[in-house]
Amino acid sequence: MRLKYTFLLVSFFALSCEKKKEATTLDNVTQIKSLDAGEYDLNLSKSSLSWVGKEITTKTHTGTIDIIDGEVTISETGEVKGVISLDMKTINVTDLEGKSKEYLEGHLNSEDFFGVDKYPDAKLTFSSKSGILKNKIAFNGLLTIKSITEKVEFDAILAKGSPNIDAEANLTFDRTKFNVRYRSGLFFDNLGDKLILDDIDVQIKIAADLQ
């Protein structure tokens, strides 16, 4: 009986400590509940876009594209709107070096992929569809690549909200909707391990300064 009582006491103590630890962790997180209304300019030196493309095998390529302009507007009611402009001629592959890097960058620039000579610019416009919940805001967006515009949805996590904004957004888009069909299983048969997945993952880090 004493052994059973001791076990229950230890269990209760351990559970209490776990809950206390969890509460302490939550208390230590800086909760951003609102953003200052106004016009914000993107700090281009602190903002960045990185991408991940994958083949049907375990092969993965990573890279960046330069953000060349952007702005964010916060209304008095807390609605967040913005636009980010990209220079597609700055497609950079970060997982390769030398001739392999040069070859893949050249291929991504070509008509097989993004045809940057004809379509040098890309753009993401966005507007919030929710308020701030645990530092997260849900967005509706319009992504324009190769002069084709498609709807996207994504979440942004706020790291800083005043007086300037620091945030990180992650989104995934289907490249075939932008007429990027090279080695896509939707348009080509019998690709085997040469198949390239249609989804491209993008991470955008935004630093915006209040005007």
Side-chain angles (χ1 to χ4, degrees):
M1 183 69 177
R2 180 178 296 177
L3 180 60
K4 182 177 180 181
Y5 174 77
T6 303
F7 173 77
L8 291 173
L9 185 62
V10 170
S11 298
F12 175 77
F13 178 76
L15 182 60
S16 299
C17 289
E18 183 177 348
K19 289 183 177 180
K20 185 177 181 181
K21 181 179 179 181
E22 180 181 356
T24 301
T25 301
L26 292 175
D27 289 341
N28 289 338
V29 175
T30 301
Q31 297 293 315
I32 298 172
K33 297 182 179 180
S34 64
L35 297 171
D36 295 339
E39 304 282 339
Y40 294 75
D41 289 327
L42 250 62
N43 186 324
L44 299 181
S45 65
K46 296 180 179 180
S47 301
S48 63
L49 181 147
S50 57
W51 54 264
V52 178
K54 302 175 182 178
E55 297 187 19
I56 193 65
T57 61
T58 57
K59 184 180 290 186
T60 298
H61 291 299
T62 60
T64 61
I65 299 175
D66 287 355
I67 298 174
I68 55 174
D69 196 14
E71 61 184 31
V72 177
T73 302
I74 314 294
S75 72
E76 293 293 341
T77 58
E79 184 180 12
V80 183
K81 292 185 177 181
V83 59
I84 296 172
S85 298
L86 307 172
D87 180 1
M88 295 302 291
K89 288 189 174 183
T90 65
I91 292 175
N92 176 42
V93 175
T94 56
D95 64 291
L96 298 175
E97 295 180 352
K99 291 186 177 180
S100 296
K101 172 182 169 71
E102 292 177 7
Y103 172 80
L104 182 54
E105 288 176 350
H107 201 187
L108 292 174
N109 286 326
S110 74
E111 291 295 329
D112 280 344
F113 284 92
F114 296 102
V116 300
D117 287 336
K118 187 176 181 180
Y119 307 102
D121 304 316
K123 182 172 66 175
L124 174 66
T125 61
F126 52 89
S127 61
S128 58
K129 61 178 181 178
S130 74
I132 303 173
L133 180 61
K134 294 184 178 179
N135 290 29
K136 182 168 70 174
I137 304 177
F139 286 93
N140 289 318
L142 293 173
L143 180 61
T144 301
I145 300 174
K146 297 180 74 172
S147 295
I148 299 170
T149 300
E150 291 287 339
K151 294 180 179 179
V152 292
E153 295 182 352
F154 62 92
D155 293 333
I157 304 297
L158 292 167
K160 183 179 179 182
S162 178
N164 302 322
I165 297 173
D166 285 334
E168 182 177 301
N170 293 278
L171 66 91
T172 300
F173 69 91
D174 181 345
R175 64 187 176 92
T176 64
K177 292 183 177 181
F178 301 90
N179 198 28
V180 182
R181 301 178 177 182
Y182 182 78
R183 279 165 49 181
S184 167
L186 290 177
F187 299 93
F188 300 94
D189 297 325
N190 304 316
L191 289 171
D193 61 4
K194 299 297 183 182
L195 184 145
I196 299 175
L197 300 185
D198 295 332
D199 284 347
I200 296 178
D201 298 324
V202 174
Q203 181 187 76
I204 305 173
K205 293 184 178 180
I206 294 175
D209 300 328
L210 186 62
Q211 294 180 7

